[in-house]
Amino acid sequence: MADEQIDRSVLLDADADDVLAALDDPDTLSAWLGEWTPDADGDGATVITDDGVARRVTERHATAATRRWTWSPTHDPAATSVVTFTVSTDAGRTRLTVTEHRMSATSPGAPVATASVRWAGALCALGAVLAVGSLVAV
Amino acid sequence: MTDRADVVFGALADGTRRDLLRAVVERGPCTATQLAAGRTISRQAVTKHLGVLAAAGLVRGERTGREVRYVADTAPLRAATGWIESTGAAWDRRLARLDDAVGSASRRAARQP
């Protein structure tokens, strides 16, 4: 199984501290990510995202400018992803970049960079192929 | 991602195969001999690469007499990108809500004396 990764970035009219707080505070997380229920003990949580999927959040890690956790749907614990948020300032605003990386089950040590290069090539091919109208229907 | 998607992207990890798939899509049904013409690889090598693409469902060979003509099928590509598309769309929605959430918080803070 190959790795998969998505990246999204947004500029926010808020202080970096407020954005980081939105990634930490259960009430704020519930407001934008989904119903967030912290574990009674430890740093884990359960969140029900807007697609109705309950996800277990584990391995939370924080630095001054990043937040990271691992999550997986409760109905499919093997479908584990690592979500990383990075906060930076950008022309007086706050840029939040989120990366969700779904690691290969068969090559858990596969470097992300290698996987990204592979996917970049594959997706270039996809773009080229899908841009052509003369496709063969099955 | 499914094992099937793994096969698809494994097939596309090779630049020569991407080039061949692009050629099959652009030319329509064509033989390995036609695809090898103008390339620096042999017909046998083209056939081998087409075999990998066929195993991934990206092309299929249609025999006409002694010839095998290859046609492309992008359906596996669309299926393989399902996780990326759905996950990306989910984050687009979440980040839009986050923008509202932190914007509201900032506006509340600005109103406080």
Side-chain angles (χ1 to χ4, degrees):
Chain A
M1 184 184 290
D3 294 7
E4 296 172 288
Q5 180 170 310
I6 67 97
D7 302 275
R8 288 292 189 275
S9 182
V10 63
L11 267 176
L12 301 167
D13 285 319
D15 292 338
D17 287 345
D18 290 337
V19 174
L20 288 167
L23 304 174
D24 294 331
D25 176 59
D27 290 340
T28 314
L29 282 163
S30 292
W32 69 270
L33 182 60
E35 184 181 340
W36 182 279
T37 306
D39 290 348
D41 53 351
D43 284 339
T46 299
V47 59
I48 302 173
T49 47
D50 63 354
D51 51 6
V53 175
R55 300 170 195 272
R56 280 291 302 152
V57 177
T58 58
E59 300 176 32
R60 296 178 71 192
H61 178 77
T63 69
T66 66
R67 298 292 186 270
R68 187 180 72 226
W69 67 60
T70 298
W71 70 358
S72 58
T74 55
H75 68 274
D76 187 8
T80 299
S81 298
V82 176
V83 180
T84 304
F85 301 92
T86 304
V87 174
S88 60
T89 56
D90 187 336
R93 302 173 75 189
T94 299
R95 177 173 295 282
L96 175 67
T97 301
V98 58
T99 299
E100 181 164 353
H101 176 229
R102 191 164 162 176
M103 186 78 84
S104 163
T106 54
S107 57
V112 173
T114 302
S116 296
V117 168
R118 187 164 49 148
W119 275 91
L123 292 176
C124 283
L126 172 65
V129 168
L130 295 184
V132 177
S134 56
L135 304 180
V136 177
V138 175
Chain B
M1 189 170 64
T2 64
D3 291 342
R4 186 66 181 170
D6 194 32
V7 173
V8 171
F9 283 99
L12 292 174
D14 182 274
T16 300
R17 286 197 287 273
R18 292 198 296 274
D19 176 52
L20 288 170
L21 176 60
R22 197 174 291 120
V24 174
V25 170
E26 290 172 354
R27 296 176 61 150
C30 51
T31 66
T33 301
Q34 291 170 328
L35 289 167
R39 288 187 167 78
T40 57
I41 56 175
S42 66
R43 186 186 65 80
Q44 288 79 8
V46 168
T47 301
K48 187 174 179 181
H49 283 301
L50 289 170
V52 176
L53 291 171
L58 293 164
V59 301
R60 66 176 185 276
E62 296 180 346
R63 181 170 290 280
T64 305
R66 296 181 60 183
E67 284 188 334
V68 176
R69 291 184 175 273
Y70 291 89
V71 295
D73 178 9
T74 59
L77 272 174
R78 296 175 196 279
T81 58
W83 184 88
I84 287 179
E85 290 180 3
S86 62
T87 303
W91 280 111
D92 287 339
R93 294 193 304 271
R94 294 164 188 160
L95 292 178
R97 288 196 299 270
L98 173 63
D99 193 7
D100 290 341
V102 298
S104 298
S106 296
R107 286 188 288 274
R108 280 198 302 274
R111 284 198 298 269
Q112 290 178 350

